[in-house]
Amino acid sequence: MLAMLAEVVNIDSGSYDKSGVDAVGSRFMRFFEEEGLLATIEPNEQFGNAIHIQLDHTPSNERPIVLMGHRDTVFPKGEVARRSFRVEGGRAYGPGVVDMKGGLVLNAFVLAAFKRFGGAPAPLAGLITADEEIASPSSRPIIERVGRAARCVFNSEPGRPSGNVVTSRKGGIFLIFEVTGRAAHSGGNFEKGISAIGELAHKIVALHKLTDLKRGITVNVGLVQGGQSVNTTAPSAEGQIDLRYVKGEQRQQMLAAVQEIIDTATVPGTTAKLAIKGEFLPVTSTPEADALFQCYQAAASDAGLRVKGEFSGGCADSGFTAGVGCPTLCGVGPVGGNAHTTDEYLEIDTLVPRAQAMALAILRLPADVGQT
Ligand SMILES: [Zn+2]
């Protein structure tokens, strides 16, 4: 597992780097071929291809258990040259080592083990996607299609530093808003001007007031730009918003509240428009998802791990399978932390027991999970 992890970490695969993302995919496809599994590509022109994995060549009408993961990272080309895979003090380091190339290696070995030894109570399948770190523009419809057909999904995002898995996640929406004003010389012709930046400032204050930590709602304007020159009233300005929420019904409420702020001009004469740039759906608790978690928790205990379910404010592809009603468990990859930073690490001695926990959970999957 470590040897394969080293190989795939040492290939740059930022979300927009199609050739790098596909190179990581090719390495996994070679492994699946060697192990006798069937791996097929669903091509994409802009982003990396999606990869579907099956144990058998024979089609089945039964709903499959799906092991899911993404192989893109947040890191630019050249990151591997700066800090390639390395092991130090029981931890592995390198770009994407735990988010989530480690989880993909874990999935691959579990799939190969079931191919070799059998025993799965339903067809097993794998899905490796290409663009999770930018909210899965190409993968989302594929993930939703696979989720609708699946009995359940294990998404091997990193286990929490505590070792816990993720049973619920926030939903998140990235929005962009553009404000239009009117340019005028701010010395000689000030009265003719309408400042888009002035309006942007009012909107930022109003947007941030939507944050309600008790309800788990946060609104962050994380990017702004605007203006033409210091001595011109700004003809245009824009901001980008990260909106997070917990429950499905909050999505519409919060979007409406944001829209109202965008539509309301404090600086007379300005106009503004709003657009969604990217989106993740929340993972919320359901009886079937709870049953899946309890099955995993007992399996993990037999693999020597004490695991609890945790809530995460971070978003992931698991929201898309949960969103189409598929029992989903997230964060079942190897344990690690500091994702998206140069200090990202993976606890090496969790690779095998976490794989064992997943395999046991598959073997013992309750008969009533995901059959409807
Ligand atoms: Zn991830």
Side-chain angles (χ1 to χ4, degrees):
M1 292 173 96
L2 263 186
M4 186 163 181
L5 182 60
E7 273 190 65
V8 290
V9 167
N10 282 337
I11 303 170
D12 280 317
S13 61
S15 309
Y16 294 101
D17 176 7
K18 174 171 169 63
S19 65
V21 172
D22 282 340
V24 174
S26 298
R27 178 62 192 93
F28 279 108
M29 296 206 37
R30 206 169 81 226
F31 172 82
F32 292 127
E33 270 159 38
E34 286 162 5
E35 294 293 326
L37 291 96
L38 179 66
T40 50
I41 272 176
E42 186 167 346
N44 189 280
E45 279 182 14
Q46 193 182 354
F47 300 102
N49 304 320
I51 299 171
H52 300 272
I53 305 114
Q54 291 169 272
L55 257 56
D56 296 300
H57 296 236
T58 42
S60 164
N61 291 329
E62 278 184 83
R63 302 167 78 83
I65 299 164
V66 178
L67 314 188
M68 189 166 80
H70 67 86
R71 65 194 192 279
D72 60 318
T73 75
V74 296
F75 299 105
K77 220 175 177 58
E79 190 76 7
V80 167
R82 281 188 287 278
R83 48 178 195 98
S84 58
F85 180 86
R86 72 174 213 279
V87 170
E88 205 180 296
R91 290 179 168 181
Y93 296 86
V97 68
V98 80
D99 183 15
M100 57 171 282
K101 289 174 176 175
L104 290 177
V105 169
L106 187 156
N107 285 358
F109 275 71
V110 170
L111 288 165
F114 275 101
K115 174 69 186 179
R116 207 176 282 191
F117 302 110
L124 263 193
L127 173 63
I128 304 182
T129 67
D131 50 4
E132 191 268 354
E133 298 293 0
I134 52 169
S136 299
S138 80
S139 304
R140 178 176 176 174
I142 298 169
I143 293 164
E144 290 179 332
R145 192 182 76 224
V146 166
R148 271 187 209 101
R151 256 188 88 176
C152 64
V153 165
F154 292 94
N155 194 33
S156 296
E157 286 280 357
R160 305 292 97 181
S162 60
N164 289 343
V165 297
V166 178
T167 42
S168 51
R169 283 189 184 275
K170 283 192 178 182
I173 313 177
F174 298 147
L175 300 131
I176 183 163
F177 64 104
E178 290 167 13
V179 183
T180 304
R182 190 200 295 144
H185 193 296
S186 59
N189 217 359
F190 183 86
E191 308 84 337
K192 289 268 163 62
I194 300 174
S195 172
I197 288 180
E199 177 63 21
L200 182 86
H202 285 289
K203 290 196 192 308
I204 291 168
V205 173
L207 287 164
H208 279 184
K209 277 193 186 146
L210 294 176
T211 291
D212 184 344
L213 293 176
K214 280 207 189 91
R215 291 169 69 213
I217 288 165
T218 58
V219 178
N220 178 57
V221 179
L223 284 172
V224 294
Q225 62 175 30
Q228 182 177 301
S229 74
V230 69
N231 56 351
T232 306
T233 57
S236 62
E238 68 167 50
Q240 296 194 37
I241 306 165
D242 178 8
L243 163 65
R244 306 269 169 143
Y245 61 96
V246 178
K247 293 185 180 136
E249 64 264 24
Q250 292 171 336
R251 179 185 180 277
Q252 225 19 65
Q253 293 166 11
M254 294 314 299
L255 270 183
V258 169
Q259 185 72 56
E260 196 184 324
I261 290 167
I262 301 308
D263 290 344
T264 307
T266 308
V267 175
T270 56
T271 57
K273 55 180 194 212
L274 178 71
I276 292 178
K277 262 193 99 180
E279 173 156 18
F280 279 113
L281 298 178
V283 178
T284 49
S285 151
T286 66
E288 282 189 297
D290 292 349
L292 179 62
F293 165 67
Q294 276 156 21
C295 167
Y296 180 87
Q297 189 177 40
S301 168
D302 287 348
L305 302 170
R306 286 184 50 169
V307 168
K308 288 187 197 156
E310 223 175 85
F311 172 80
S312 169
C315 297
D317 283 333
S318 43
F320 296 134
T321 54
V324 295
C326 178
T328 300
L329 189 59
C330 199
V332 292
V335 174
N338 298 337
H340 297 198
T341 76
T342 53
D343 297 324
E344 179 183 5
Y345 68 89
L346 175 149
E347 303 277 10
I348 290 172
D349 66 3
T350 65
L351 267 171
V352 169
R354 299 283 279 202
Q356 291 170 327
M358 183 188 284
L360 278 175
I362 291 167
L363 284 168
R364 300 170 180 172
L365 191 72
D368 55 345
V369 166
Q371 296 290 35
T372 47

